[in-house]
Amino acid sequence: MEVHDPAFHSLVPEDLKLEVLGEGYSWSEGPVWVADGDYLLFSDVPQNVIYRWHETDGVQPWIRPSGYTGSTPREGEPGSNGLVIDAEGRLLLCQHGDRRVARLAQPLAELTVDTAPGDNADNFETVADRFDGKRFNSPNDLVLHPSGDLYFTDPPYGLVGGADSPDRELDHYGVYRIATDGSVTLLHDQLSRPNGIALSPDGTTLYVANSDPQAALWMAWTLGEDGTLSDGRVLHDATSQVSDERPGLPDGMKIDADGNLFATGPGGIWVFSADGKHLGTLRLPDPTANCAFGEDGRSLFVTSNHRLLRVRLNSRGLGFDEPPAS
């Protein structure tokens, strides 16, 4: 661990233990905790599959295909990426291959460990797949606002050929909002590689990671009641930290109950206070894509390249209730 402020250890214990829960994945991403079932879902983007982890059952493939439902084989990163659970307990997905934000047709509560969705394109419903009549690049990560609005990023990573893909229809990489009525609004189009996205506990600040080695940074905006962005500012610029010795770039992130950010970046997981102060970094040996709070809210699950990891924190994730005093 790298400690830059004493407050770091109020969130991360000094005797932190790192558990390997699973390994052998091509690129693990998008973890989300399913409270109604006590299990974790996460994506393997190149393999086009969502895995399910449970304390008793371990890791097993669960939803395939996860992001590309076409019949023509394709290369690149076709699978799902970011995952989130909506207020009705339904799984929402960023699908690289199908270039859309989608919803799993079956509610998660109707599925068990033995009833994973089969190999069927009808597993998914489209939430949004176009802006201004043009197909998205490859929706990457998403976050749900308490209002029900959905915010997501759209870089080129899932396109075969990336930014140079002949299938690309939009001339920008956007940050978008999908309103509850299904309308899509472009909020920002000036980031070179918008990626991870998160909201402050009160829903008034939107954070976006930019996964560009030439501009490796985290942005923050004030989010208005009408869902628009203002007062854009660089929360932290980590470009100088990008190196072979510190693998990874600003990517996925999650917020704890007090508004602190746990953000994957060069060298591991960067921890920021709610006002953007870099408190310290949990160093990891491999590029790290994303993280998610789970179990009682003090477990942080980490998707790090070919592994699924877990650490126990002093901090509690946003949305997890403090247990009653005994």
Side-chain angles (χ1 to χ4, degrees):
M1 290 178 281
E2 298 170 351
V3 180
H4 300 291
D5 189 281
F8 179 75
H9 280 310
S10 67
L11 307 175
V12 179
E14 295 186 35
D15 60 346
L16 185 80
K17 294 181 174 61
L18 184 69
E19 298 177 75
V20 178
L21 301 179
E23 54 190 337
Y25 318 112
S26 296
W27 179 247
S28 57
E29 250 285 11
V32 64
W33 182 252
V34 184
D36 186 11
D38 293 327
Y39 60 88
L40 185 88
L41 298 177
F42 66 97
S43 303
D44 188 332
V45 186
Q47 296 303 315
N48 201 18
V49 61
I50 289 175
Y51 285 92
R52 179 187 191 273
W53 174 88
H54 186 274
E55 186 70 66
T56 302
D57 305 317
V59 179
Q60 52 192 295
W62 203 54
I63 299 176
R64 192 199 307 265
S66 66
Y68 175 61
T69 59
S71 57
T72 303
R74 54 153 287 174
E75 299 176 349
E77 300 183 354
S80 62
N81 195 316
L83 310 173
V84 71
I85 311 297
D86 71 11
E88 298 178 34
R90 299 173 299 181
L91 179 65
L92 299 169
L93 317 85
C94 284
Q95 294 186 312
H96 277 193
D98 286 350
R99 300 169 67 175
R100 63 180 174 175
V101 176
R103 179 187 299 113
L104 186 65
Q106 290 176 275
L108 289 173
E110 295 181 5
L111 301 173
T112 70
V113 65
D114 298 318
T115 58
D119 189 358
N120 189 328
D122 294 335
N123 286 338
F124 306 106
E125 304 165 344
T126 298
V127 177
D129 61 359
R130 284 171 170 78
F131 171 70
D132 200 22
K134 298 178 180 180
R135 297 188 69 190
F136 294 133
N137 299 303
S138 56
N140 189 279
D141 202 3
L142 71 174
V143 65
L144 193 63
H145 192 274
S147 67
D149 290 349
L150 195 61
Y151 293 80
F152 72 97
T153 57
D154 186 43
Y157 297 123
L159 293 171
V160 177
D164 298 322
S165 172
D167 297 325
R168 184 177 164 193
E169 298 182 17
L170 293 165
D171 61 2
H172 61 263
Y173 308 125
V175 179
Y176 294 90
R177 181 183 77 250
I178 306 173
T180 54
D181 63 4
S183 60
V184 179
T185 303
L186 175 64
L187 300 176
H188 190 76
D189 63 359
Q190 297 301 305
L191 290 177
S192 53
R193 292 294 186 273
N195 198 320
I197 190 166
L199 281 163
S200 61
D202 62 4
T204 63
T205 303
L206 184 74
Y207 304 100
V208 176
N210 194 55
S211 297
D212 183 343
Q214 304 303 315
L217 49 86
W218 293 271
M219 291 290 298
W221 286 271
T222 298
L223 186 61
E225 292 184 3
D226 60 353
T228 59
L229 304 182
S230 63
D231 188 28
R233 60 226 183 250
V234 175
L235 186 78
H236 191 90
D237 190 332
T239 307
S240 64
Q241 296 295 303
V242 176
S243 68
D244 292 340
E245 290 72 35
R246 302 180 70 93
L249 292 165
D251 202 327
M253 54 186 152
K254 295 298 184 293
I255 310 293
D256 75 5
D258 296 317
N260 302 295
L261 284 76
F262 289 75
T264 60
I269 298 177
W270 294 50
V271 182
F272 298 99
S273 65
D275 60 2
K277 184 176 184 180
H278 181 203
L279 304 179
T281 302
L282 173 59
R283 290 294 302 272
L284 294 169
D286 299 304
T288 301
N290 214 327
C291 58
F293 289 95
E295 298 182 312
D296 62 353
R298 295 198 187 279
S299 292
L300 187 71
F301 293 88
V302 181
T303 49
S304 182
N305 196 9
H306 61 290
R307 295 189 177 101
L308 174 67
L309 310 173
R310 176 174 61 181
V311 297
R312 291 286 293 173
L313 301 175
N314 298 328
S315 176
R316 185 178 298 277
L318 180 62
F320 292 84
D321 296 330
E322 192 78 34
S326 57

